[in-house]
């Protein structure tokens, strides 16, 4: 459950519509998570990454905050083997897009029969890391505030263009909580695969 505005920040950011509550902010934060496909809060993950010939790989979650542990997984004459490695050997790209290079201290392939093998040994890394944002960006806080205010406003029908009481017809001026302005602000945080 995400909450991108604290109670003190609600008073600071939500100053257009009165009565915005923490529950509105939680709904707004979860709508942002659903739109982007990930959360801005700090999370942990462990995944196995296949390296290419240039010892490059990609982590699914980004931005990466810290790599906590690394295990090398490789084939040896006795089958699948693994050994501990240092996280200092993983170099993340400056773009923070999940791509990294791996440069171990020594030869990671303990494979003495390499010359007679019909295949080139592949190295996999099991990486445990934390990802997300330690501090929620200000733009996301503004969108959360706008969205929470829309939720509060539309729940009281203050944004209604027409309201009939006999048959209870409500016509909203903008039926979507997300406006085009919000989408354009969040577009730089949306990842495309």
């Amino acid at each position: 459950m995400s909450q991108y505005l604290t109670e003190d920040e609600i008073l600071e950011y939500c100053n257009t519509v009165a009565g915005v509550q923490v529950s509105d902010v939680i709904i707004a934060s979860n709508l942002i998570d659903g739109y982007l496909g990930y959360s801005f809060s700090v999370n942990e993950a462990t995944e196995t990454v296949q390296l290419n010939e240039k010892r490059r790989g990609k982590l699914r979650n980004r931005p990466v905050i810290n790599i906590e542990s690394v295990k090398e997984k490789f084939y040896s004459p006795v089958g699948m083997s693994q050994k501990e490695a240092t996280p200092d050997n993983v170099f993340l790209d400056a773009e923070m897009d999940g791509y990294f290079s791996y440069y171990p201290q020594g030869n990671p392939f303990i494979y003495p029969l390499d010359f007679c093998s019909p295949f080139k040994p592949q190295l996999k890394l099991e990486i445990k890391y934390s990802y997300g944002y330690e501090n929620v960006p200000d733009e996301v806080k503004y969108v959360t505030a706008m969205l929470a205010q829309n939720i509060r406003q539309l729940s009281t029908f203050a944004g209604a263009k027409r309201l009939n009481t006999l048959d209870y017809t409500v016509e909203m001026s903008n039926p979507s909580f997300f406006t085009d302005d919000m989408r354009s602000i969040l577009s730089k945080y949306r990842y495309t695969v």
Side-chain angles (χ1 to χ4, degrees):
M1 177 174 71
S2 300
Q3 181 179 340
Y4 297 143
L5 293 175
T6 62
E7 289 186 36
D8 296 334
E9 290 174 332
I10 290 174
L11 298 174
E12 178 185 343
Y13 286 91
C14 301
N15 51 17
T16 307
V17 175
V20 175
Q21 299 173 356
V22 174
S23 60
D24 300 326
V25 171
I26 291 173
I27 292 170
S29 302
N30 288 328
L31 285 172
I32 291 172
D33 290 350
Y35 177 72
L36 294 175
Y38 65 93
S39 175
F40 282 91
S41 56
V42 177
N43 298 303
E44 286 190 356
T46 302
E47 65 181 273
T48 302
V49 179
Q50 176 74 48
L51 297 181
N52 64 13
E53 301 83 30
K54 296 179 182 178
R55 295 191 181 175
R56 301 259 308 147
K58 184 179 182 195
L59 298 170
R60 282 191 301 260
N61 303 301
R62 56 194 164 197
V64 176
I65 298 172
N66 184 31
I67 296 179
E68 296 168 17
S69 67
V70 177
K71 290 182 185 175
E72 295 177 354
K73 293 186 170 194
F74 53 92
Y75 286 102
S76 69
V78 294
M80 191 68 165
S81 297
Q82 71 179 11
K83 72 174 188 175
E84 293 289 327
T86 62
D88 297 337
N89 297 335
V90 177
F91 298 92
L92 297 167
D93 289 2
E95 294 85 16
M96 299 303 288
D97 55 1
Y99 286 98
F100 66 91
S101 298
Y102 180 67
Y103 300 110
Q105 299 290 333
N107 185 8
F109 302 117
I110 304 171
Y111 202 82
L113 303 175
D114 189 25
F115 64 92
C116 63
S117 174
F119 62 92
K120 184 177 179 181
Q122 297 279 324
L123 178 65
K124 294 181 182 180
L125 296 179
E126 182 181 293
I127 300 176
K128 181 178 180 183
Y129 62 99
S130 58
Y131 65 94
Y133 290 83
E134 292 176 331
N135 299 317
V136 177
D138 284 337
E139 294 170 323
V140 176
K141 289 184 179 185
Y142 283 117
V143 171
T144 304
M146 289 189 294
L147 196 52
Q149 291 175 101
N150 281 355
I151 291 169
R152 175 55 53 189
Q153 187 177 21
L154 293 177
S155 68
T156 60
F157 299 117
K161 190 175 4 175
R162 186 179 82 197
L163 176 65
N164 294 340
T165 55
L166 294 177
D167 56 356
Y168 203 76
T169 302
V170 176
E171 183 181 334
M172 297 294 186
S173 58
N174 185 0
S176 174
F177 287 131
F178 266 105
T179 63
D180 292 335
D181 295 335
M182 292 179 202
R183 286 187 178 95
S184 65
I185 292 172
L186 292 175
S187 65
K188 76 180 211 177
Y189 295 103
R190 197 157 195 197
Y191 299 136
T192 55
V193 179

